[in-house]
Amino acid sequence: MRVLLTGGFGFIGSRFVRLLLNPGEGESGWPVEQVVNLDKVTYAANPDLLADLSGDPRLLPVRGDICDAELLADLFSRHDFDAVVHLAAESHVDRSIDSPEAFVRTNVLGTFHLLEAARNHCRHRSAAAKEKRFLFLNVSTDEVYGSLPPMAAAFTEADGYAPNNPYAASKAGAAHLGRAYFHTYGLPVITANGSNNYGPGQFPEKLIPLMISKILRGETLPVYGDGLQVRDWLHVDDYGRALLAMLHQGRPGEVYHVGGRCELTNLEVIHRLVALVNEHLPPDSRRSAEALVRFVPDRPGHDRRYAIDCSKIERELGWNARETADSGFRKTVQWYLEHPEWMERIADRYRGERLGRSL
């Protein structure tokens, strides 16, 4: 199998590269001949996350923009891909409030260019190549569905989109394009809607790494609104296994929800992180969540709750999340404690300042 992976130097992408090249015992899949990692290397990308794989001949990094149609055509021509796993995206809601145009360009227009390149590729494949499976895996988010009422059942794949911020709207647009290319052109597209990912190597503008870094430094922890916004937390490696299952067993034209079955408020997450960090600090240096938390004005358009029903992928593809909040959060805190240099190296790109206050 030859795979074009977009955004492989990002948080989810870098973990998925490892799974593609070295699937765990019992994981489904075919041998991977080559992974072409197309990445623009923006502020959130981190080539260091794959530095130890730089000698693997199966991994080819290519620096470039998914909006570059000529580059895409050249890559498809030279590598005869069997699959596209599209992870590249502008992904931080707060940044989308300040700079929505960048999100529309990358997430909508970039997805369009990839779909077009894949469509042209499929049209011109040799007869022998057309006998092999080709798949375009379009990676999306639970945020496209908008806010879920407190006691309502989790969103299913049959629910309609109702995005409430520019990031979610751009991802909804990308997902709609993927659906259209399946129904109009017969391009074999699968859409993956994942819940809030967390784990090793996540850029620290996101809640969990941001809070861990601030707890370690004893800084105040800014909490939007009342902190009772609910998210379903999913360990990045569980998400990677779900994407691998879709890549090899998923049905084209389908949407699969991937959730952690782990709904927590932001305040609950912070309290768990403080307790886990305290396990590694001497008694006289331990932190108090109550003392560190500082409530700040809420994010514009902040959705109250996200939750998605992942029964379909569990039933059809045999996937289940392996990490719980206890195990996954513990492993994540441990990783950041063991890699302080990682946070230091990216401090010039983000120092924990608040974004997304433009109105």
Side-chain angles (χ1 to χ4, degrees), residues 16 19 26-28 157 192-198 232-247 249-250 256-262 308-324:
F16 189 61
L19 191 58
E27 299 295 345
S28 59
E157 288 86 350
N193 291 104
S195 61
N196 274 44
N197 271 228
Y198 70 95
D232 175 22
W233 293 95
L234 173 68
H235 193 278
V236 64
D237 291 342
D238 280 329
Y239 196 32
R241 291 189 306 100
L243 297 178
L244 193 66
M246 286 180 237
L247 186 61
Q249 305 170 54
Y256 294 96
H257 282 180
V258 189
R261 297 190 182 275
C262 176
I308 51 177
D309 185 339
C310 54
S311 300
K312 179 178 177 178
I313 190 172
E314 293 172 337
R315 181 178 64 253
E316 294 189 7
L317 305 186
W319 173 90
N320 286 279
R322 293 175 181 172
E323 300 293 349
T324 65

Side-chain angles (χ1 to χ4, degrees), residues 5-18 39 42-47 49-50 87-89 91 195-206 208-209 233-240 243 332 335-336 342:
L5 174 68
T6 69
F9 284 135
F11 165 53
I12 299 174
S14 62
R15 301 296 291 188
F16 189 61
V17 165
R18 297 180 181 278
D39 199 302
T42 62
Y43 76 94
N46 194 335
L49 293 171
L50 294 177
L87 280 157
S91 67
S195 61
N196 274 44
N197 271 228
Y198 70 95
Q202 189 172 28
F203 194 76
E205 65 190 1
K206 304 291 188 177
I208 287 179
W233 293 95
L234 173 68
H235 193 278
V236 64
D237 291 342
D238 280 329
Y239 196 32
L243 297 178
T332 300
W335 188 90
Y336 284 101
W342 184 84

Side-chain angles (χ1 to χ4, degrees), residues 89-108 141 143-144 162-174 299-303 306 356 358-359:
E90 293 284 350
S91 67
H92 189 46
V93 174
D94 284 359
R95 288 183 187 268
S96 81
I97 295 170
D98 289 339
S99 305
E101 184 176 354
F103 285 71
V104 173
R105 181 183 184 278
T106 296
N107 299 354
V108 181
T141 171
E143 297 194 32
V144 297
N164 290 319
N165 61 69
Y167 161 66
S170 70
K171 293 298 286 184
R299 166 197 289 161
H302 201 174
D303 289 331
Y306 297 141
S358 299
L359 291 175

Side-chain angles (χ1 to χ4, degrees), residues 284-348:
D284 59 350
S285 299
R286 288 175 183 164
R287 320 301 192 194
S288 162
E290 288 74 15
L292 293 179
V293 165
R294 176 171 58 87
F295 294 98
V296 300
D298 208 351
R299 166 197 289 161
H302 201 174
D303 289 331
R304 193 65 171 172
R305 176 183 170 221
Y306 297 141
I308 51 177
D309 185 339
C310 54
S311 300
K312 179 178 177 178
I313 190 172
E314 293 172 337
R315 181 178 64 253
E316 294 189 7
L317 305 186
W319 173 90
N320 286 279
R322 293 175 181 172
E323 300 293 349
T324 65
D326 289 336
S327 66
F329 281 29
R330 182 174 297 278
K331 289 178 181 178
T332 300
V333 168
Q334 186 68 38
W335 188 90
Y336 284 101
L337 288 168
E338 292 174 354
H339 296 84
E341 77 290 345
W342 184 84
M343 199 72 78
E344 293 167 5
R345 282 201 299 268
I346 60 177
D348 60 331

Side-chain angles (χ1 to χ4, degrees), residues 57-120:
R58 298 173 296 170
L59 181 59
L60 175 64
V62 176
R63 185 164 186 165
D65 191 337
I66 58 174
C67 291
D68 186 340
E70 290 185 7
L71 171 61
L72 293 176
D74 179 63
L75 289 175
F76 274 93
S77 174
R78 287 194 288 119
H79 298 284
D80 192 21
F81 297 116
D82 302 301
V84 176
V85 181
H86 178 30
L87 280 157
E90 293 284 350
S91 67
H92 189 46
V93 174
D94 284 359
R95 288 183 187 268
S96 81
I97 295 170
D98 289 339
S99 305
E101 184 176 354
F103 285 71
V104 173
R105 181 183 184 278
T106 296
N107 299 354
V108 181
L109 188 59
T111 300
F112 161 73
H113 282 298
L114 272 170
L115 288 165
E116 272 291 280
R119 180 170 75 94
N120 289 328

